[in-house]
Amino acid sequence: MINLTINGQSHSLDIPDTMPLLWAIRDVVGMKGTKFGCGIAQCGACTVHIDGVATRSCVMPVSAVTGEVTTIEAMADDPVGQKVQQAWLELGVAQCGYCQGGQIMNATGLLKHNPAPQPQEIIDAMSGNLCRCGTYNRILAAVERAAGEETNS
């Protein structure tokens, strides 16, 4: 039995220790916001937070999870996540939207650890999240906008 805390709720799951966290979240718990992209931690679509740190869930075995898991579903209740999501909407970042949950999770994690990043710090932090639609300039602008909101609050 694996015990996970996801978005503040405890879950006792009868799953193999080696199951990737992504599949526990999506297939067992039923939260579909975290996406499968590559399966090798290279695209970022599966990004969640573990104790506030952006983590690729597709390669993280559930047995290695030692903290609280936060998914995109919880960002509406997170003050920094709300600012990131609002900036995303205002700047029309998403096109197909597939990668955006992971992008938002990564951006939120960045701003929680560095509320006023410089543009190159944003680019570096977001470089592991791929966008097939190529909205990188809008992603950068949205993170900058959310950071501005964060520093002005």
Side-chain angles (χ1 to χ4, degrees), residues 1-65:
M1 193 65 72
I2 298 289
N3 294 308
L4 296 173
T5 301
I6 304 172
N7 299 337
Q9 292 188 318
S10 295
H11 298 271
S12 292
L13 308 174
D14 188 13
I15 56 177
D17 291 353
T18 57
M19 177 182 277
L21 176 60
L22 172 65
W23 300 121
I25 292 168
R26 286 185 58 81
D27 293 348
V28 181
V29 179
M31 295 179 182
K32 303 296 186 183
T34 305
K35 304 295 185 199
F36 173 79
C38 66
I40 57 172
Q42 297 298 303
C43 75
C46 68
T47 303
V48 298
H49 293 173
I50 298 178
D51 284 341
V53 177
T55 305
R56 304 296 196 256
S57 65
C58 70
V59 295
M60 171 70 68
V62 291
S63 60
V65 177

Side-chain angles (χ1 to χ4, degrees), residues 119-137:
Q120 190 60 50
E121 292 174 308
I122 297 169
I123 291 167
D124 292 345
M126 298 300 293
S127 68
N129 286 75
L130 302 180
C131 175
R132 292 161 78 179
C133 299
T135 64
Y136 297 111
N137 290 334

Side-chain angles (χ1 to χ4, degrees), residues 3 9 11 15 68 71 74 91 108 113 147:
N3 294 308
Q9 292 188 318
H11 298 271
I15 56 177
E68 181 163 343
T71 69
L91 296 176
T108 301
H113 295 284

Side-chain angles (χ1 to χ4, degrees), residues 75 78-85 107-112 146 150:
M75 287 298 99
D78 181 284
V80 178
Q82 289 172 355
K83 289 177 176 137
V84 170
Q85 288 180 322
T108 301
L110 166 64
L111 294 179
K112 284 184 172 196
E150 189 61 20

